[in-house]
Amino acid sequence: MTASLAFVFPGQGSQVVGMLGELAQEHPIILDTFAQASEALGYDLWALCQNGPAESLNQTDKTQPAILTASIALWRLWQAQGGAQPAYVAGHSLGEYSALVAAESLSLAEAVKLVEWRGQLMQQAVPAGEGGMAAVLGLDDADVQAACDEAAQGQVVSAVNFNAPGQVVIAGSAAAVERAIEACKARGAKRALALPVSVPSHCALMKPAAEKLVAAVNAIAWKMPNIALVQNVTASKAADLDSLKEDLLAQLYSPVRWVESMVYLAAQGITEVVECGPGKVLSGLNKRCIKGANTYNLESAEGLAAALDALK
């Protein structure tokens, strides 16, 4: 184990048709991982990821298993290549489930079924078109929250992802999010723009989804993570299995405290952070959260080789 190393796993939005296609040609472990997930789900997840259509891949109940499986495929590839074992893992939103699989808290098959159901419950909780999310850039957290409070007018809108200093995502009822966008601009936000998502994640509208997810979470024989895992809701290490499961359920309707999670990792001596999943979203955020940290990502052959070389 490398004491200064953490692995972080991305959430929704990192998916793209064709992801991991080139790496899979060289490394059969990627196809093997997708085959396991496909068997659990009952459809060919690899074919969906490679061929699309994008509209299908972007449906939350398909996106969530796809990103989780891609992330675990890269984790297994890293291990197969003799990559260093991290001291900590964390995941952004859905990525927390990927982190839990990497830390052997539950199996890949259990996880893909769980997040597929999670996606279905999230979609059911707020019919398409009734919820929204928006990114707010260049405004401090307190101002974003004040803008949301002003814009709510009896509806739900709140700050839900604290991604990096000056980068906050808000979510809630579609009309309230629109009002909050204007309120953020009025307070001096550099940009406030609606995001192309079908579900308003991490706000109070997701509470019914969390209540329905309880039975599926409790049906799994969870194990305590074998790598220290930092959770979104607390921005600190999971203490025991009961609180881990509670926080995982609360995550559906609670903010993702990503900045605080990265600050926590830095305080534990983490200086090397590997993004394990498709895309480079977290690498960009993490540079702003932990000054001076070295960031790597594994989504390409070059990225994998560079990380393996640097973290021998």
Side-chain angles (χ1 to χ4, degrees), residues 64-290:
Q64 296 194 34
I67 291 176
L68 187 147
T69 304
S71 299
I72 294 305
L74 290 172
W75 169 252
R76 290 177 175 178
L77 175 57
W78 175 260
Q79 292 182 303
Q81 297 284 316
Q85 181 85 339
Y88 284 85
V89 291
H92 190 288
S93 186
L94 162 78
E96 192 165 300
Y97 290 82
S98 307
L100 284 159
V101 176
E104 297 181 11
S105 197
L106 77 170
S107 71
L108 174 66
E110 289 168 326
V112 290
K113 299 268 289 181
L114 183 62
V115 301
E116 178 185 52
W117 179 228
R118 179 179 183 262
Q120 289 167 357
L121 291 173
M122 289 167 73
Q123 198 68 70
Q124 289 166 22
V126 182
E130 291 189 15
M133 297 182 79
V136 181
L137 306 179
L139 205 57
D140 69 36
D141 295 353
D143 281 336
V144 175
Q145 193 54 58
C148 288
D149 293 344
E150 175 192 303
Q153 296 175 21
Q155 292 182 304
V156 170
V157 61
S158 59
V160 295
N161 294 357
F162 297 97
N163 286 335
Q167 184 177 337
V168 179
V169 174
I170 62 174
S173 309
V177 169
E178 284 297 322
R179 291 193 295 270
I181 287 173
E182 295 312 314
C184 286
K185 286 178 181 170
R187 278 176 163 77
K190 280 185 196 154
R191 292 177 73 193
L193 59 163
L195 297 174
V197 294
S198 58
V199 169
S201 304
H202 304 295
C203 74
L205 298 176
M206 288 294 123
K207 206 141 196 190
E211 286 160 5
K212 290 178 181 164
L213 193 62
V214 171
V217 166
N218 287 338
I220 290 168
W222 296 80
K223 299 186 190 76
M224 203 55 199
N226 64 9
I227 306 169
L229 184 134
V230 179
Q231 290 194 276
N232 288 182
V233 170
T234 58
S236 63
K237 197 168 81 173
D240 56 63
L241 269 183
D242 285 341
S243 61
L244 184 149
K245 290 190 282 186
E246 278 172 29
D247 290 339
L248 199 60
L249 288 162
Q251 189 227 66
L252 264 175
Y253 56 85
S254 306
V256 173
R257 294 165 60 187
W258 193 250
V259 177
E260 289 174 86
S261 297
M262 293 303 102
V263 169
Y264 175 86
L265 287 176
Q268 313 310 309
I270 296 300
T271 56
E272 318 286 328
V273 185
V274 174
E275 180 169 6
C276 187
K280 300 176 184 174
V281 171
L282 297 181
S283 299
L285 298 178
N286 293 345
K287 282 177 185 162
R288 295 169 56 198
C289 295
I290 310 179

Side-chain angles (χ1 to χ4, degrees), residues 6-58:
F7 263 56
V8 295
F9 297 84
Q12 293 190 77
S14 290
Q15 73 278 5
V16 60
V17 173
M19 61 187 179
L20 308 198
E22 284 181 24
L23 278 173
Q25 291 170 14
E26 290 175 54
H27 303 289
I29 200 164
I30 290 175
L31 294 177
D32 293 346
T33 303
F34 271 87
Q36 284 180 10
S38 297
E39 190 177 340
L41 292 165
Y43 66 89
D44 189 337
L45 183 61
W46 180 249
L48 174 64
C49 288
Q50 294 312 297
N51 308 323
E55 301 80 61
S56 299
L57 182 60
N58 291 341

